[in-house]
Amino acid sequence: MKTLLIMRHAKSSWGEDGLSDYERPLNHRGQLDAPRMGRFLASMELHPEAVLTSSAVRAHTTAIATVEAAQWDVSVDPNDGLYLATPQEFRKLLKALSDSVSTVLMVGHNPGVAELVSALTGEFVAMPT
């Protein structure tokens, strides 16, 4: 059985005209919160062997900042399929992971991450940035 860590991207910026939703960066709060989550996960002694993230700028940046702050020696694998993914798409990527991966961090977007948590737990859990 795998340990699944599900994270929504940190707070993003809406302040840059001309950028697509996919290109939106983290705002100042997001730049502080993503490393804070990495330090928190490390303090809980959680260490993923795989990090899968949406390739959207805000999610990919969140994943990198989290991994760097946690000081995990793991690659961050951006995946176009996680951009606005459904719970079924998350599950498909999880099933494709090697059996040797016991802990995985997935970084994505709402509503997909909240729907995934709900599907796995049977409960609604708010997933704010």
Side-chain angles (χ1 to χ4, degrees):
M1 179 171 187
K2 294 186 186 322
T3 299
L4 176 58
L5 306 170
I6 303 169
M7 181 184 297
R8 183 177 177 196
H9 63 79
K11 190 74 173 169
S12 60
S13 173
W14 290 93
E16 295 186 41
D17 291 336
L19 291 181
S20 70
D21 178 68
Y22 184 87
E23 297 170 311
R24 285 190 299 116
L26 296 181
N27 69 9
H28 180 70
R29 187 180 104 196
Q31 292 170 2
L32 296 175
D33 286 347
R36 185 177 297 139
M37 285 303 299
R39 291 187 297 272
F40 171 74
L41 292 170
S43 76
M44 299 296 294
E45 298 184 7
L46 295 167
H47 187 289
E49 292 94 14
V51 177
L52 304 177
T53 181
S54 161
S55 55
V57 170
R58 62 191 181 277
H60 191 205
T61 304
T62 297
I64 290 169
T66 299
V67 167
E68 288 176 353
Q71 299 181 344
W72 295 325
D73 184 21
V74 62
S75 65
V76 174
D77 297 319
N79 186 300
D80 292 340
L82 285 176
Y83 178 61
L84 306 178
T86 65
Q88 295 78 16
E89 291 163 321
F90 278 99
R91 287 180 173 192
K92 182 179 177 183
L93 289 171
L94 283 171
K95 287 180 182 178
L97 289 173
S98 165
D99 289 340
S100 66
V101 175
S102 63
T103 303
V104 60
L105 170 63
M106 298 184 93
V107 181
H109 309 268
N110 262 352
V113 291
E115 292 171 353
L116 177 63
V117 170
S118 180
L120 294 172
T121 67
E123 298 179 27
F124 173 77
V125 176
M127 298 289 289
T129 53

